[in-house]
Amino acid sequence: MPGDDRRWELAARSWTEIAAALSPGSKVVALLPIGSTEPHGPHLPLETDVIISAEAAVRAAGRLRERGIEAFVLPALPYTVTEYSRDFAGAIGISAATLEAALGEVAEAALSHGFCLVCLVNSHLEPGHLEVLRRVSARLSPPGGRPVIFPDKTSRRWAATLTDEFRSGACHAGRYETSLVMAARPGLVDEPARRALAANPVSIGRKIKEGARSFLEAGGDQAYFGDPASATAEEGRASFEALAAMVETAVLEALER
């Protein structure tokens, strides 16, 4: 399983190995997985977003290396803005200001050590969180500056490469995310709970646009939207390929610029 291969992880390497990789004139990419610690239904772990981001980053690093581009996956950032899930146990969030400061400093530190590019690999879709990622990538990528990129899968371009459920907006701990965790960490999925869940077709994305300020207000009284009972590991593997291709394409485009 790609997620079990730690060759591409920065934290699994020694400082001398990283120093050698970042020798003058080298072009090395840093992939920063970003997720949340929050409820994902009664069947998935709190670290669901982190699992998805980290696995997608590892797969993308492998694809980039096949193209001759050295890439390392940084340790994942597991805390972010989680206001929408605040009514449920286990939602451990931080403020947007704290996230922006931390994320900016991590990216700047990676660039200062010689990484030519930092790519934010994100799986948490709360609006306040996404706004921070967009601000940080814009602030650290001025004309002629050192680039930080954010392939935002909620944008039309990238969403078109993902599943129907994802595009519907009914995709928090539903079929889309459950399939991904089943593909990456099947032992963390509560199978009896998953199979017993009725579909919740409410689009959390649409409800947020209509003014809902929490999962409860949006109609997610068990912190899930979508159809987790129909999830499959096969779909998860296909979605991971799409996510890895998204990161790979965004990095290649940035390097060409």
Side-chain angles (χ1 to χ4, degrees), residues 66-231:
E66 288 176 357
R67 289 179 171 270
I69 298 168
E70 195 155 19
F72 289 97
V73 179
L74 304 185
L77 185 64
Y79 299 111
T80 185
V81 180
T82 55
E83 285 300 307
Y84 280 84
S85 59
R86 63 185 179 275
D87 298 306
F88 297 88
I92 308 298
I94 58 178
S95 70
T98 300
L99 172 64
E100 186 162 357
L103 184 58
E105 289 185 20
V106 169
E108 288 178 319
L111 293 169
S112 72
H113 280 286
F115 285 96
C116 71
L117 179 73
V118 175
C119 179
L120 309 180
V121 183
N122 173 64
S123 297
H124 181 57
L125 306 181
E126 186 159 327
H129 168 83
L130 292 173
E131 289 170 8
V132 170
L133 270 59
R134 293 171 186 139
R135 285 200 301 270
V136 169
S137 60
R139 176 169 60 83
L140 296 181
S141 297
R146 297 176 298 185
V148 174
I149 63 170
F150 170 41
D152 183 354
K153 63 184 178 182
T154 66
S155 68
R156 182 172 298 180
R157 176 191 183 185
W158 299 124
T161 68
L162 299 175
T163 68
D164 289 343
E165 187 187 82
F166 178 85
R167 291 193 298 275
S168 77
C171 59
H172 179 83
R175 175 171 177 152
Y176 168 74
E177 288 191 330
T178 302
S179 294
L180 286 163
V181 179
M182 289 171 71
R185 295 290 185 270
L188 296 180
V189 181
D190 185 331
E191 280 296 314
R194 177 186 75 83
R195 290 192 293 267
L197 291 173
N200 178 6
V202 173
S203 170
I204 179 65
R206 187 173 302 114
K207 287 295 185 180
I208 288 173
K209 290 179 181 177
E210 293 172 355
R213 300 302 302 169
S214 70
F215 286 169
L216 289 181
E217 288 184 13
D221 62 356
Q222 293 193 68
Y224 78 92
F225 299 84
D227 187 12
S230 66

Side-chain angles (χ1 to χ4, degrees), residues 8-24:
W8 316 144
E9 295 183 20
L10 180 89
R13 309 296 286 272
S14 69
W15 77 266
T16 53
E17 290 176 301
I18 300 303
L22 295 173
S23 59

